[in-house]
Amino acid sequence: RMIFESPGEDVCAAPDNMAVSPRGGLILCEDSDKAEQRMHGLTTSGESLRLLPTRSSVAWYEARGVVIVLDEY
């Protein structure tokens, strides 16, 4: 079942790094041609949350939890 589909790049542009949060949501990291990349949260009910702007970001899950690396403004 699909819980979220971005209606366009202004909402979420080409997320390529994703990690599952401890509560079951997703952390999405954009990878687009825009100067400002963004990091988003996606709840299990499909609510999209813009977390912060970055130059680049990556997120992944490992045994000790979610790891987030940011190059922030």
Side-chain angles (χ1 to χ4, degrees), residues 6 8-16 29-32 34 37-38 40:
S6 177
E9 287 189 359
D10 57 322
V11 174
C12 188
D16 70 340
C29 303
E30 290 185 346
D31 183 20
S32 69
K34 295 180 177 183
Q37 307 293 307
R38 297 168 296 187
H40 302 268

Side-chain angles (χ1 to χ4, degrees), residues 14-70:
D16 70 340
N17 288 292
M18 295 181 248
V20 178
S21 77
R23 294 186 179 123
L26 289 175
I27 298 170
L28 308 171
C29 303
E30 290 185 346
D31 183 20
S32 69
D33 294 333
K34 295 180 177 183
E36 179 183 279
Q37 307 293 307
R38 297 168 296 187
M39 181 176 282
H40 302 268
L42 185 62
T43 68
T44 56
S45 63
E47 181 184 4
S48 175
L49 310 163
R50 186 170 295 164
L51 301 178
L52 57 113
T54 67
R55 287 190 193 103
S56 64
S57 60
V58 63
W60 67 90
Y61 180 81
E62 62 179 40
R64 291 178 284 168
V66 174
V67 177
I68 299 172
V69 179
L70 301 172

